[in-house]
Amino acid sequence: MEVADRGEDRALSTMARMRVALGLIFVAAFHTTSCFTVPEADILGRLQNRQDWRGTVLADRTWVEARDLLKPETIVVIPLGAGAKEHGPHLNLNNDELLASYFTIRVLEQADVVVAPPIAYSFYPAFVEYPGSTHLRLETARDLLVDIVKSLAHHGPRRFYVLNTGVSTVRPLKAAQELLAAEGITLAYTDIIAAGKEACAEVEQQPEGTHADEIETSMMLFIAPWTVDMSKATKDFPHGDGPLTPDPTKGERCSRSGIYGDATLATREKGEKVCECIVKSILADIDALRASPLPAARP
């Protein structure tokens, strides 16, 4: 397929690097009917209005342009969302990656930031028993982020924000934060549970849960409903310690579905409230980071 002009080519490059679903890319970038049906969604309008974004996608610039973008005062955002991690029988493996892409677009709309390419692999030890799930050792996940940040900081920026959609990822993020602080680099990151807490307290009906549950499924019904199969949604409340497993003989924390919570209670309306709450929290985090003292570069 040919593109009509450089603008559309750049739009395709942007969203491809952000790894938004292929159907979304084609619909948004080429305005043609895809070979499969993509339901209407708010995200399509957001992609089509990308010319009005306040932020900049680093990957779509040349190194010469990057030289002018990467100043000491620049806030660099790094999206982090698993590209392959189980999310029950009703959500796709790239669920967290889609969440990160959506929230990144919302940030690009409203914040003067530079968005670096996303990270699709990190520390997800709880899901390795489910086929398709990927996981990095804590030290690997930490060092991957540290190396990315230091590469970019070498050219100016001293403040970074990881737009994080995971829970277990907080451990390597905190470890990376401490290492980078010793080198005069400030790293902040999303605590996704805290970010959505206010809205969850309002809409949540399940007795407990944090994974592929009522809340996460509701968010996907709002963001990308074509990725959700509610006919396969169910509920599981695994107990005990250690990683989840679909096999009751392999550990006490068994979830045959891979769900922790009740996905059957999910609705689009709940998802919209939670997503708006998280966007507000992320933008507040970025504002706080921007207002923080600019660290001095260490030799």
Side-chain angles (χ1 to χ4, degrees):
M1 183 180 293
E2 294 181 358
V3 294
D5 58 33
R6 180 174 173 79
E8 289 188 342
D9 184 51
R10 174 164 287 187
L12 175 58
S13 175
T14 298
M15 302 323 300
R17 289 188 176 92
M18 291 170 64
R19 298 175 63 85
V20 175
L22 185 60
L24 268 180
I25 298 170
F26 284 138
V27 171
F30 300 110
H31 308 281
T32 61
T33 301
S34 176
C35 59
F36 47 89
T37 301
V38 180
E40 285 292 322
D42 294 342
I43 196 169
L44 297 182
R46 296 185 185 281
L47 292 174
Q48 291 167 341
N49 291 329
R50 58 194 169 270
Q51 296 88 349
D52 298 326
W53 289 351
R54 291 186 63 196
T56 302
V57 177
L58 181 63
D60 286 338
R61 302 291 181 161
T62 68
W63 76 264
V64 178
E65 292 171 311
R67 179 180 57 197
D68 296 329
L69 288 168
L70 299 177
K71 302 296 185 181
E73 64 274 14
T74 301
I75 302 292
V76 178
V77 173
I78 304 174
L80 172 60
K85 185 178 83 177
E86 76 85 6
H87 278 82
H90 64 303
L91 299 175
N92 293 342
L93 288 165
N94 70 338
N95 187 85
D96 288 1
E97 192 173 40
L98 289 172
L99 283 173
S101 294
Y102 173 79
F103 290 129
T104 299
I105 290 169
R106 297 295 302 273
V107 168
L108 281 164
E109 285 180 322
Q110 301 181 60
D112 182 11
V113 297
V114 172
V115 174
I119 302 173
Y121 297 96
S122 192
F123 180 69
Y124 304 112
F127 310 102
V128 293
E129 291 297 320
Y130 297 83
S133 297
T134 56
H135 163 63
L136 300 181
R137 291 178 297 110
L138 177 64
E139 297 80 6
T140 304
R142 176 200 65 196
D143 292 347
L144 173 65
L145 182 61
V146 167
D147 285 354
I148 291 169
V149 169
K150 288 175 68 175
S151 296
L152 294 169
H154 176 68
H155 300 284
R158 314 306 301 168
R159 292 178 290 203
F160 293 78
Y161 184 79
V162 178
L163 200 163
N164 168 51
T165 59
V167 177
S168 57
T169 43
V170 168
R171 285 183 62 192
L173 285 169
K174 181 173 177 55
Q177 183 184 58
E178 293 170 354
L179 288 176
L180 290 166
E183 301 198 28
I185 300 170
T186 299
L187 178 73
Y189 52 84
T190 316
D191 180 337
I192 198 70
I193 298 295
K197 186 176 181 180
E198 183 179 340
C200 288
E202 178 185 347
V203 304
E204 191 171 19
Q205 295 176 284
Q206 62 186 5
E208 58 182 293
T210 56
H211 181 67
D213 60 339
E214 174 189 5
I215 298 302
E216 195 164 19
T217 304
S218 293
M219 291 167 67
M220 295 313 295
L221 285 173
F222 172 63
I223 292 172
W226 56 92
T227 68
V228 185
D229 187 348
M230 287 301 291
S231 70
K232 296 179 181 177
T234 184
K235 56 185 176 182
D236 253 321
F237 299 99
H239 296 287
D241 298 321
L244 293 177
T245 176
D247 185 348
T249 68
K250 288 189 175 182
E252 60 180 359
R253 202 168 182 216
C254 176
S255 172
R256 292 185 183 277
S257 67
I259 294 170
Y260 173 35
D262 188 349
T264 68
L265 297 172
T267 69
R268 185 187 187 279
E269 291 71 27
K270 293 176 183 177
E272 182 174 8
K273 288 184 178 180
V274 175
C275 285
E276 293 304 320
C277 182
I278 291 174
V279 169
K280 182 179 178 181
S281 179
I282 291 171
L283 291 171
D285 285 349
I286 292 172
D287 285 343
L289 180 61
R290 196 184 307 277
S292 67
L294 186 65
R298 304 286 174 83

